[in-house]
Amino acid sequence: DTGVSQNPRHKITKRGQNVTFRCDPISEHNRLYWYRQTLGQGPEFLTYFQNEAQLEKSRLLSDRFSAERPKGSFSTLEIQRTEQGDSAMYLCASSWGQGATDTQYFGPGTRLTVL
Amino acid sequence: AQTVTQSQPEMSVQEAETVTLSCTYDTSESDYYLFWYKQPPSRQMILVIRQEAYKQQNATENRFSVNFQKAAKSFSLKISDSQLGDAAMYFCAYRSPGSARQLTFGSGTQLTVLP
C-alpha cells in the first residue's frame, strides 16, 4: 500500500493551454474522487468515480473539465483552455467503498498555476 | 445543501497544552458522518478522527478526541498534550450516508504550536 499518488506535483501553464493530471489510487480502492482547493480554503468536490463509472459531477466542473477512469484504476483530469481562475491545488482521494465510514485517503495534490 | 463552518481561522497552543478547534454544520439529515482532517504544510491531508452521527459516544484517537453535540450541530476537536508535529491546517468535513459520497469541508483552522 503506497498511498494515493498524483502527477505532476506542480504544473505551470499559460492561459488557454490544456493540462492533464493523473491520479493513482490506493490499489483495490474502487472509489476515486477529485477535489479542488484554493488558497486558504477547504477542498471543494469536483467529481467521483466508482470503478470506471463517473457517478457524480459538481457544478464546479465546467465543460472545460473532463475526468476519466478508463479501467477503474488510475484517473486523469483534463482542463481545456485554462483560465487564471483555474489556478488551485487539485486533490485526488480514494476509498474502498465498504463499511459505513468509507474513509477517503488523499494524495499530495497537483498545484496548477495559470499565467 | 450541507454547510460546514469553522469560525477560527487561526489558533495557537503551547506545547504540552490542550487546544479545542470548533466546527459547526448545517444539515437536515439525521444520519451522517463527520471527520477531522489534518493538512501539514506542503504535505497531504490525513484523517485525524471520524464520528458517526448515530453513535452517542464521542470518538477518541490517542491524544485526539471530539465533542459531538448532535442537537447543536457542533463537532469540536480537542488535542491534548499538543506536540510540535500537530502544527497544521485542520479541516472539519461532513459526509452524507447515501449515494452522495463527497466530503463537504469547512474553511479550516490553522494551528500553531508554540515551543
Side-chain angles (χ1 to χ4, degrees):
Chain A
D1 182 353
T2 58
V4 179
S5 61
Q6 293 187 245
N7 288 287
R9 295 291 305 276
H10 303 273
K11 178 70 177 179
I12 299 174
T13 190
K14 293 182 179 179
R15 188 178 54 183
Q17 298 295 305
N18 299 343
V19 295
T20 300
F21 311 140
R22 176 176 170 130
C23 170
D24 288 89
I26 294 172
S27 58
E28 298 179 356
H29 276 191
N30 61 350
R31 292 198 168 114
L32 187 147
Y33 311 78
W34 286 99
Y35 292 84
R36 182 173 71 184
Q37 185 179 21
T38 53
L39 200 61
Q41 298 298 315
E44 296 174 292
F45 170 75
L46 293 178
T47 190
Y48 145 61
F49 291 85
Q50 181 160 320
N51 299 313
E52 66 276 8
Q54 188 174 18
L55 296 186
E56 199 153 344
K57 293 195 290 187
S58 161
R59 286 174 292 179
L60 292 175
L61 211 66
S62 74
D63 292 344
R64 298 185 296 105
F65 288 70
S66 63
E68 294 182 341
R69 194 183 183 198
K71 296 182 179 179
S73 56
F74 73 92
S75 175
T76 58
L77 177 68
E78 181 183 16
I79 309 174
Q80 296 182 328
R81 304 181 304 280
T82 52
E83 302 172 356
Q84 287 186 326
D86 297 331
S87 295
M89 177 77 86
Y90 290 84
L91 298 172
C92 176
S94 70
S95 70
W96 174 229
Q98 297 293 327
T101 52
D102 192 17
T103 298
Q104 294 180 29
Y105 296 87
F106 283 80
T110 295
R111 181 168 296 284
L112 173 66
T113 301
V114 181
L115 302 176
Chain B
Q2 293 80 21
T3 58
V4 178
T5 302
Q6 294 180 249
S7 59
Q8 306 155 316
E10 299 177 347
M11 292 280 286
S12 62
V13 62
Q14 209 72 36
E15 197 175 3
E17 296 295 310
T18 296
V19 64
T20 299
L21 309 184
S22 300
C23 172
T24 59
Y25 56 93
D26 186 25
T27 184
S28 58
E29 297 173 318
S30 59
D31 192 19
Y32 45 86
Y33 304 95
L34 297 166
F35 304 83
W36 278 97
Y37 278 88
K38 167 186 176 182
Q39 189 175 41
S42 302
R43 296 184 62 186
Q44 63 202 79
M45 198 165 328
I46 58 174
L47 178 68
V48 174
I49 199 165
R50 59 177 173 240
Q51 174 81 42
E52 294 90 340
Y54 63 84
K55 290 186 177 178
Q56 292 186 340
Q57 187 173 5
N58 289 324
T60 300
E61 289 286 345
N62 300 315
R63 297 182 296 107
F64 299 88
S65 61
V66 298
N67 183 5
F68 173 49
Q69 301 289 327
K70 191 172 184 178
K73 296 180 182 176
S74 170
F75 182 60
S76 60
L77 174 69
K78 186 172 80 171
I79 306 173
S80 302
D81 186 26
S82 298
Q83 300 175 359
L84 294 177
D86 295 333
M89 181 73 90
Y90 286 80
F91 291 101
C92 177
Y94 173 103
R95 185 172 74 75
S96 297
S99 60
R101 293 282 175 166
Q102 69 266 31
L103 295 168
T104 300
F105 286 88
S107 56
T109 296
Q110 181 68 51
L111 179 66
T112 301
V113 180
L114 305 170

